[in-house]
Amino acid sequence: MLAGNTRDPAPSSDIQGGANLIAPDTSGMNFYRADPALTDLLRIHLPAALVRHIEPHLDRLGSLCGGPLDEAARLADRNVPVLHHRDRFGRDAQYVEYHPAYRELERAAFGEFGIHALSHRKGIMGWPDTYPVVAKHAFTFLFNQAEFGMGCPINVTDGAAKLLSTYGDAALKERYLDGLTQTDITRLTQGGQFMTEKEGGSDVGTLATTAVQEGDNWRLSGEKWFCSNADAEIVMLLARPVGAGPGTRGVGLFLMPRHLDDGSPNHYRIVRLKDKLGTRSMASGEIKLEGAIAFSVGRLDRGFAQMAEMVNSSRLSNGVKSTALMRRAHHDAMAVARGRVVFGSRIVDLPLARRQLMKIMLATEQALSMSFLTADALDRAEAGSQDAAALLRILTPTLKFRATRDARKVCGDALEMRGGIGYVEEFATARLLRDAHLGSIWEGTGNIVAIDALKRAVGRHGAESALAADLHARLDDAASVPQAWRDRLRGLVDRAIGFAREVASRADHEADARRATSTLYHVASAVTLAWEGARIDAMRGDARRVLLSRLVVDHRLNAPDPFALSNGNTEFAIAEHLLGDGPANMKEIAELLTAA
């Protein structure tokens, strides 16, 4: 199936001698070649040799995502998993039936590109070492532009391998780690993460699942309420050992296999699959634990803290996936705007449409920059940098909070660009919008994540100091950006950090946590876009990314006067640069940074 695209071709303008009446979509597009910003950021954050190595693989994945993988994702979304409780001989043998298109997606993600194992297994795609997080998430970013649902199985398999390799004993690693990191589909054991219970979703300390020791093993009893990748072969989950104290301190981390050593099913069952708004291709279920055999991972009194590391990695992945949805929506909106003529003009040439396209672009580029900034911080933290670890602590929830919320609006606006037909499931826009709503729920709702960013990362850990130092250092490094603009950004950094500290220090201002988190995100992205623009200008003479920094300040940080006209000339000039294909160096764009 990966050899070609089976979907109906986009209509040609000369079919039957008439003009297109329906705007083209992204069918046949190579999502890597269509995204020079991605290439630029990889060249900024990765060694040149690694970029050269992965580019052909990214190019292939970009081509597949605009063709056969996109078609497979469409089919898998429409043909949802089915839970069977018995086999055809009447035996109690639960299994989930997937459409063949879903298996095609698995073969690409887990097999050909090994996205789940890039941080764990050497030699994937011919690279002699494991891949840094930045490189891994370049593949995540492209793959999820075609298929968002499988992003969860990829991520939790990756996370399960990380938990096992970090905290598991030698015997557990020997038994299960190879299967979790396999790229041979016949030997792969996908991972799962069963956290949520009826008693407690975000409030993990109230979970009611119990663990009773039985020799070297444990028996788990209880219910898990929302279990994605429900039929995973290896599951990481939390349970409270009998006799342990209340709250999160009494919770242990366990590894639970789907099948026992003799091949029989473990003592738990899938009660039903969830009928979800989005990510319909992937099976999420309710699980009943009936004395399931499991193995403790790490210290029993540190289970929640250990699982939290997987959650934080998942939050970064979530931000990248939401960015992928935005980029796909942006591609689709631009295909419509450039490919359809209304009232005698292309949509892209109409002033109001250009403004909407710029809003779609701005949120997308902010999220792309913040995703790779956060991934780079994780790479440096894992290499031993304490400063990067503190930076990661504040960037991760900040990215997760804002990018996932922006994805909902961006995908909705892109659907609107296509008009009524965008609401029809034959086009990708409807699926993008459905999937986008998961991001702000997955691994903590917006309120929970904003509180984590402000009350914990800032109030408890002081991580905002690392963010301030990092942003000021990037402004120092961007010497080619006009001094006046860098000075303005410095002032905004100091104000955002001060506001975050004030909110974090006052119990009566928890309601400001969301606004303070958004402010940190917007200021950090404005600085990062300026820094990137300076680096890209030095590499290939294109500073246009700095103009996005100005748009962040104008539209995301400054409160507009609802009765004032916008400065059409300045916005028009910025849009000409950003919606055009040609580069613009720092000298060409400098005046636009401070124009009224």
Side-chain angles (χ1 to χ4, degrees):
M1 183 171 180
L2 298 187
N5 187 1
T6 61
R7 195 170 186 176
D8 291 339
S12 169
S13 60
D14 57 18
I15 290 178
Q16 297 179 348
N20 262 337
L21 299 180
I22 303 298
D25 63 7
T26 57
S27 295
M29 179 181 288
N30 184 315
F31 292 155
Y32 180 66
R33 295 183 188 179
D35 198 348
L38 173 59
T39 303
D40 286 333
L41 296 193
L42 293 177
R43 289 173 179 167
I44 288 173
H45 288 294
L46 293 176
L50 180 54
V51 174
R52 287 193 298 271
H53 178 81
I54 63 176
E55 275 196 305
H57 301 286
L58 292 171
D59 185 72
R60 171 163 167 77
L61 180 56
S63 178
L64 291 173
C65 286
L69 290 182
D70 187 40
E71 171 65 3
R74 186 182 70 88
L75 290 172
D77 178 76
R78 299 187 73 170
N79 297 274
V80 300
V82 177
L83 173 64
H84 297 279
H85 294 281
R86 285 186 163 192
D87 66 15
R88 63 183 181 274
F89 299 106
R91 293 172 297 198
D92 291 331
Q94 282 196 325
Y95 66 97
V96 178
E97 179 185 359
Y98 294 94
H99 190 272
Y102 187 83
R103 299 304 189 191
E104 291 288 345
L105 292 163
E106 284 183 325
R107 280 189 280 273
F110 290 98
E112 179 174 353
F113 297 99
I115 301 171
H116 67 297
L118 293 179
S119 294
H120 307 287
R121 197 178 194 99
K122 296 180 180 181
I124 297 175
M125 292 180 290
W127 186 248
D129 205 342
T130 57
Y131 289 84
V133 178
V134 168
K136 173 177 72 176
H137 281 314
F139 288 92
T140 302
F141 176 66
L142 285 176
F143 182 84
N144 281 268
Q145 289 181 50
E147 163 58 9
F148 189 77
M150 192 169 289
C152 179
I154 296 168
N155 179 69
V156 292
T157 303
D158 181 354
K162 184 173 183 178
L163 282 175
L164 181 57
S165 62
T166 304
Y167 299 111
D169 60 32
L172 275 183
K173 292 178 188 178
E174 177 68 23
R175 192 171 180 180
Y176 294 113
L177 189 57
D178 180 72
L180 284 168
T181 62
Q182 271 291 338
T183 57
D184 179 347
I185 292 294
T186 64
R187 300 172 62 193
L188 170 70
T189 51
Q190 291 187 34
Q193 172 189 320
F194 297 175
M195 289 267 289
T196 307
E197 300 184 6
K198 296 176 186 176
E199 292 80 5
S202 299
D203 187 3
V204 178
T206 64
L207 68 79
T209 299
T210 59
V212 177
Q213 191 162 15
E214 186 180 271
D216 294 333
N217 306 332
W218 295 76
R219 292 274 188 175
L220 306 185
S221 300
E223 290 189 53
K224 295 295 183 179
W225 178 240
F226 207 111
C227 305
S228 291
N229 211 18
D231 60 339
E233 286 295 324
I234 304 295
V235 175
M236 292 290 185
L237 73 169
L238 298 175
R240 193 180 308 280
V242 172
T248 57
R249 292 182 182 274
V251 171
L253 176 64
F254 296 89
L255 182 154
M256 181 178 71
R258 178 94 172 112
H259 292 92
L260 303 177
D261 289 344
D262 62 2
S264 63
N266 203 347
H267 305 289
Y268 70 92
R269 57 191 173 89
I270 306 171
V271 178
R272 64 171 178 169
L273 298 184
K274 299 287 194 182
D275 184 10
K276 298 173 294 180
L277 172 69
T279 63
R280 298 179 66 85
S281 62
M282 181 266 300
S284 299
E286 300 166 17
I287 305 296
K288 180 80 170 178
L289 305 170
E290 300 167 325
I293 293 175
F295 310 97
S296 63
V297 179
R299 287 174 46 184
L300 275 179
D301 62 345
R302 295 285 295 166
F304 175 75
Q306 292 165 179
M307 180 65 91
E309 291 195 18
M310 182 174 176
V311 169
N312 280 331
S313 294
S314 183
R315 284 178 174 175
L316 167 57
S317 179
N318 192 351
V320 176
K321 292 174 175 64
S322 292
T323 306
L325 292 176
M326 285 191 267
R327 176 60 88 211
R328 176 65 185 277
H330 176 225
H331 283 323
D332 193 80
M334 291 302 297
V336 171
R338 289 171 172 163
R340 189 175 185 196
V341 174
V342 295
F343 306 113
S345 299
R346 293 189 310 160
I347 290 176
V348 73
D349 296 323
L350 299 174
L352 192 55
R354 289 168 74 87
R355 203 162 204 269
Q356 292 305 110
L357 289 169
M358 293 295 292
K359 288 182 178 181
I360 291 171
M361 173 189 287
L362 180 60
T364 303
E365 299 299 344
Q366 282 184 274
L368 184 65
S369 294
M370 291 295 286
S371 290
F372 283 100
L373 183 71
T374 307
D376 178 70
L378 178 53
D379 277 325
R380 291 186 289 118
E382 291 187 339
S385 170
Q386 292 301 309
D387 289 338
L391 179 63
L392 181 70
R393 182 64 186 87
I394 183 67
L395 284 179
T396 301
T398 302
L399 168 70
K400 196 277 182 189
F401 173 77
R402 189 69 253 169
T404 58
R405 301 191 67 76
D406 284 347
R408 289 164 23 185
K409 187 170 192 315
V410 165
C411 292
D413 285 352
L415 182 152
E416 187 178 346
M417 289 295 296
R418 186 167 286 282
I421 198 69
Y423 198 66
V424 175
E425 294 284 354
E426 291 175 316
F427 287 88
T429 42
R431 173 162 50 92
L432 295 177
L433 182 58
R434 288 191 284 104
D435 286 346
H437 281 263
L438 174 63
S440 51
I441 300 171
W442 184 6
E443 304 296 15
T445 62
N447 286 351
I448 293 298
V449 178
I451 289 172
D452 183 44
L454 268 292
K455 296 298 184 180
R456 298 190 184 96
V458 175
R460 187 180 301 171
H461 300 289
E464 81 285 356
S465 296
L467 178 60
D470 182 87
L471 296 179
H472 280 297
R474 291 183 193 279
L475 290 171
D476 290 339
D477 189 46
S480 63
V481 174
Q483 184 70 45
W485 187 248
R486 286 188 291 142
D487 287 346
R488 186 170 184 189
L489 292 176
R490 287 185 197 280
L492 291 170
V493 169
D494 293 340
R495 290 182 66 191
I497 296 297
F499 180 47
R501 286 171 173 160
E502 185 176 10
V503 173
S505 66
R506 297 180 57 172
D508 59 334
H509 277 265
E510 182 179 290
D512 289 319
R514 294 166 70 98
R515 187 160 56 95
T517 303
S518 288
T519 301
L520 288 174
Y521 177 87
H522 295 319
V523 169
S525 65
V527 170
T528 304
L529 287 162
W531 173 77
E532 291 166 350
R535 296 289 300 272
I536 297 166
D537 187 46
M539 288 191 301
R540 60 178 185 85
D542 190 356
R544 288 181 297 166
R545 211 158 178 82
V546 186
L547 293 176
L548 291 165
S549 174
R550 159 138 195 190
L551 292 181
V552 172
V553 173
D554 287 351
H555 295 283
R556 312 286 277 203
L557 291 167
N558 288 345
D561 180 349
F563 304 107
L565 294 174
S566 62
N567 188 328
N569 291 335
T570 299
E571 284 201 0
F572 180 83
I574 292 174
E576 281 289 292
H577 283 301
L578 293 176
L579 294 176
D581 295 324
N585 61 37
M586 194 71 71
K587 184 177 180 180
E588 292 175 275
I589 62 99
E591 289 187 7
L592 290 174
L593 294 175
T594 54

